Amino acid sequence: MATLPKVVGRVRDLRAQVASFRAEGARVALVPTMGALHAGHVALAEKARELAQRTVVSIFVNPTQFAPHEDFSQYPRTLEADLYKLADVGVDLVYAPTPTEMYPAGFVTRIAVGGPSEGLETDFRPHFFGGVATVVGKLFIQCAPDYAMFGEKDYQQLKVVTRLSRDLDLGVEVVGLPTIREEDGLALSSRNAYLDEEQRTIAPVIYTALTRAADAIRTGTAPQAAVSVARGMIEALGLKVDYVAARNADTLAPLKEGPEAGREPIRLLAAAWLGETRLIDNIPV
């Protein structure tokens, strides 16, 4: 049986462990997570092991990225099972702080982000990226890794934290990995556990609709027309759509019109509610 990774919950202990890794001459990779780990997280940890000699996984359900009506209290917390999954990968250290360790009494500082954070998720969860940027900024400062691993499933988040590290000179290379999917195309997510049996059979429609839209764009259909068809396909199965959008794949800005139309990389992104569960997905064109 693989040895479980060491777990620390204090910033000072995290820094002491990372300092010992540095004393060995090791590069360090960080995999920030909220726990409830699945194969997508495992793939991030495996990539971290390829890039660096020492791997740290943080497990922290971050309260500042949840609105009062969202699922913070219900979000799955499975630390023991997570540790066994990480042991199989060979992760060296797990950082599992408490909310009061990350946000001690009197904490008032927030990181405000623009650029790739504007629109899409922000239109429906205006609090979200401020919470993400603040906690990721703290994790980068606390751990000071060489690399940080994020999945493309949360594509807008990936772009936000990449810009965050660059703009604030945090010295962390943000590495994005392709979305890991079930055989029917459903993107792996900790929130998939909320789906009942019937909903689980419906959920892949988002990926199917995006895939058809991407195919249509490649064969000459205007992006907005393809997106409109995809939205209708998703709504036809009873999902409540927050957005289906075609954006610049690098900046997430709206696509250009006029003579420059069709000359930029495109990413299709969607978010929709299936019952009480919010699902997101995205694919390149």
Side-chain angles (χ1 to χ4, degrees):
M1 180 180 294
T3 302
L4 294 181
K6 183 174 182 178
V7 180
V8 298
R10 304 293 296 274
V11 176
R12 65 189 183 197
D13 296 329
L14 169 66
R15 287 178 166 158
Q17 288 293 315
V18 172
S20 70
F21 298 157
R22 297 294 188 193
E24 302 169 354
R27 289 175 297 174
V28 177
L30 172 67
V31 184
T33 82
M34 293 205 302
L37 303 184
H38 52 63
H41 298 109
V42 171
L44 295 176
E46 289 173 341
K47 184 63 175 180
R49 291 266 294 157
E50 292 178 17
L51 293 175
Q53 289 76 40
R54 295 291 188 177
T55 300
V56 181
V57 173
S58 64
I59 296 177
F60 178 64
V61 183
N62 177 37
T64 66
Q65 68 192 64
F66 290 80
H69 66 279
E70 293 180 338
D71 61 339
F72 175 72
S73 61
Q74 287 79 35
Y75 194 87
R77 292 161 171 83
T78 57
L79 180 60
E80 184 175 357
D82 292 345
L83 293 179
Y84 280 101
K85 292 176 183 176
L86 298 176
D88 291 338
V89 181
V91 166
D92 299 287
L93 182 68
V94 169
Y95 176 47
T98 63
T100 54
E101 181 70 12
M102 292 298 284
Y103 303 112
F107 185 92
V108 294
T109 302
R110 296 290 188 273
I111 296 177
V113 290
S117 75
E118 295 171 353
L120 302 172
E121 287 296 296
T122 305
D123 290 341
F124 298 89
R125 308 177 71 199
H127 60 284
F128 181 67
F129 284 120
V132 168
T134 300
V135 76
V136 171
K138 285 179 67 73
L139 288 169
F140 284 7
I141 292 167
Q142 292 169 349
C143 186
D146 299 284
Y147 307 99
M149 322 302 296
F150 289 84
E152 288 186 354
K153 200 271 288 186
D154 298 287
Y155 192 79
Q156 190 174 12
Q157 174 178 272
L158 170 63
K159 291 300 180 181
V160 167
V161 298
T162 300
R163 175 57 64 181
L164 168 73
S165 184
R166 185 181 307 160
D167 285 355
L168 297 185
D169 300 314
L170 297 179
V172 181
E173 180 179 341
V174 176
V175 179
L177 267 71
T179 303
I180 305 296
R181 299 182 181 277
E182 301 283 5
E183 289 186 5
D184 58 7
L186 179 64
L188 294 188
S189 170
S190 300
R191 288 188 169 95
N192 290 349
Y194 299 158
L195 301 173
D196 64 29
E197 186 175 348
E198 181 181 1
Q199 291 171 335
R200 175 61 187 80
T201 65
I202 297 171
V205 68
I206 299 175
Y207 175 67
T208 301
L210 292 180
T211 300
R212 292 185 183 178
D215 290 341
I217 293 169
R218 294 188 195 104
T219 57
T221 301
Q224 292 310 317
V227 160
S228 178
V229 172
R231 183 185 186 106
M233 182 178 174
I234 295 169
E235 291 177 334
L237 288 184
L239 286 80
K240 178 180 177 294
V241 173
D242 279 352
Y243 60 83
V244 181
R247 292 296 183 95
N248 181 289
D250 296 328
T251 65
L252 291 183
L255 298 180
K256 296 175 182 177
E257 300 179 358
E260 297 183 349
R263 299 180 183 177
E264 54 190 319
I266 298 174
R267 197 88 183 185
L268 301 181
L269 307 100
W273 290 88
L274 182 51
E276 299 299 315
T277 304
R278 190 172 187 269
L279 303 173
I280 66 171
D281 204 346
N282 68 89
I283 63 170
V285 173

